[in-house]
Amino acid sequence: MTTSADAMAEQVRAYLDHLKVERGLSAHTIAAYTRDLGRYREYLAGVGITEPDQINQAMVAGFPVYLTGQGLAAASVGRMTVAVRGLHRFWAEEGRSADDPAHEVSPVAPGQRLPKALTLDQVTALLRATGGCLPGASPEQLCDQALVEVLYGTGARVSEILALRVEDATRTLSDVALGLRLWGKGGKERVVPLGSYARDAVQAWLVRGRPQVAGLAATPSPALFLNSRGHPLSRQSAFNRIEALGTRAGIDQPVSPHTLRHTYATHLIDGGADIRVVQELLGHSSVATTQIYTLVTVDHLREVYRASHPRAQFPPGERPL
């Protein structure tokens, strides 16, 4: 016998299937939507709602208030509200509800957070911390060096890098003109240049590091990056490794794979790269997303100006006559 809770879950599942099959969203995005809409179902159940047609605008508008009351950050509340808006729009378009009660409910606008990019000296310190350039470097050290070089050298998302296979790397290494082929959000494909430092690090990993661990797994993996047991390197392991390297390098801020993506984009724009080029390299669907890095650069320029120009600001305790 189907319960009301089961019926509501089935209605949500239909939307998730739509996102997966028709919109082509990644498994990571689907998992995030599943968690967010799970929270929405809990909220609805708490107020006795069992059918889409029972939901009105006031109830939808109450969801962000409910989340805020539970201590969630504005960014999380905004993300979940966007998921709910998409769900109701789908239900209305598919005739699963008479109207769209979420149409006029706007997500919470979080304060703008500028990415904190590493300096070039910090990137160098991070690479030294891998130990990949040392004589007799271990497979893990060679893997760490290649991982950092590729993340910083391409600006790719960590999921895109961990999805690479050995054949993807060897094809790129054999012909510098090919570039590295990546698959981003929604299965969108793009090709990014791979610099000489990253190429050398990947070559060292493939020749001196990977063969030592590749045979440890019961079933050999085609993944480019492997852990010490010969299994594909996981997202969590990659995050843990980069974070540990940041600490070892003495960097006074949290360092993650996404930090290296921010750093890549910021350094490109600092160096004069056109924002449209950076957009393509990062795989952003809209240039508006990429423009955040121009704000970072302007902020950096302002700091340099204030520190360097003799008339940028009054000396302490002094005012002009």
Side-chain angles (χ1 to χ4, degrees):
M1 179 177 179
T2 302
T3 66
S4 297
D6 291 335
M8 181 65 81
E10 184 60 35
Q11 297 278 23
V12 173
R13 192 175 302 114
Y15 176 56
L16 294 172
D17 289 341
H18 162 76
L19 294 178
K20 180 179 180 181
V21 177
E22 298 186 33
R23 294 271 303 279
L25 299 188
S26 71
H28 296 300
T29 303
I30 296 298
Y33 269 86
T34 301
R35 290 191 297 271
D36 292 348
L37 295 177
R39 296 290 290 269
Y40 187 50
R41 284 176 51 212
E42 291 174 5
Y43 162 75
L44 293 174
V47 293
I49 300 300
T50 59
E51 297 290 340
D53 272 333
Q54 296 176 320
I55 305 171
N56 58 35
Q57 182 176 330
M59 292 174 184
V60 178
F63 182 54
V65 178
Y66 163 77
L67 294 174
T68 302
Q70 292 193 327
L72 269 71
S76 298
V77 174
R79 187 193 69 241
M80 292 186 186
T81 306
V82 168
V84 168
R85 281 167 56 92
L87 173 69
H88 281 289
R89 183 168 57 250
F90 171 77
W91 280 348
E93 291 173 350
E94 294 291 309
R96 296 171 186 265
S97 62
D99 57 10
D100 179 1
H103 178 66
E104 295 184 3
V105 177
S106 300
V108 176
Q112 188 175 48
R113 295 171 59 193
L114 298 179
K116 180 65 173 177
L118 302 179
T119 66
L120 186 55
D121 286 343
Q122 287 175 321
V123 173
T124 302
L126 191 70
L127 286 162
R128 285 178 181 154
T130 67
C133 289
L134 298 174
S138 69
E140 182 173 350
Q141 290 174 317
L142 291 168
C143 181
D144 285 349
Q145 184 187 23
L147 183 63
V148 173
E149 286 282 14
V150 173
L151 285 168
Y152 173 62
T154 64
R157 303 174 180 91
V158 66
S159 57
E160 296 170 343
I161 295 303
L162 297 182
L164 290 172
R165 300 162 298 177
V166 171
E167 63 184 79
D168 298 321
T170 53
R171 183 170 57 245
T172 304
L173 293 174
S174 66
D175 187 346
V176 67
L178 289 177
L180 191 63
R181 194 174 301 276
L182 302 172
W183 286 267
K185 293 183 177 180
K188 184 179 178 181
E189 180 183 322
R190 72 183 187 281
V191 176
V192 298
L194 191 66
S196 59
Y197 287 91
R199 293 168 65 86
D200 286 350
V202 171
Q203 183 72 38
W205 160 242
L206 286 175
V207 173
R208 294 163 31 216
R210 192 180 185 281
Q212 295 187 49
V213 298
L216 299 179
T219 303
S221 171
L224 173 60
F225 290 104
L226 304 177
N227 61 24
S228 59
R229 298 182 303 280
H231 299 137
L233 191 65
S234 68
R235 283 171 56 91
Q236 190 59 52
S237 291
F239 270 86
N240 291 343
R241 288 189 179 200
I242 300 297
E243 183 179 47
L245 288 171
T247 301
R248 196 180 308 158
I251 298 174
D252 59 353
Q253 67 179 77
V255 181
S256 70
H258 211 64
T259 305
L260 294 173
R261 179 170 163 85
H262 287 327
T263 302
Y264 168 85
T266 303
H267 288 184
L268 278 176
I269 293 177
D270 275 340
D274 183 89
I275 191 170
R276 294 284 183 181
V277 174
V278 178
Q279 175 194 354
E280 291 297 323
L281 291 171
L282 291 175
H284 286 160
S285 57
S286 169
V287 73
T289 308
T290 317
Q291 284 175 333
I292 186 73
Y293 298 104
T294 64
L295 298 177
V296 175
T297 299
V298 168
D299 191 52
H300 172 67
L301 291 176
R302 187 180 296 112
E303 290 179 5
V304 172
Y305 169 73
R306 286 175 176 170
S308 307
H309 195 281
R311 303 289 287 181
Q313 54 188 342
F314 303 133
E318 291 188 20
R319 311 296 292 183
L321 297 175

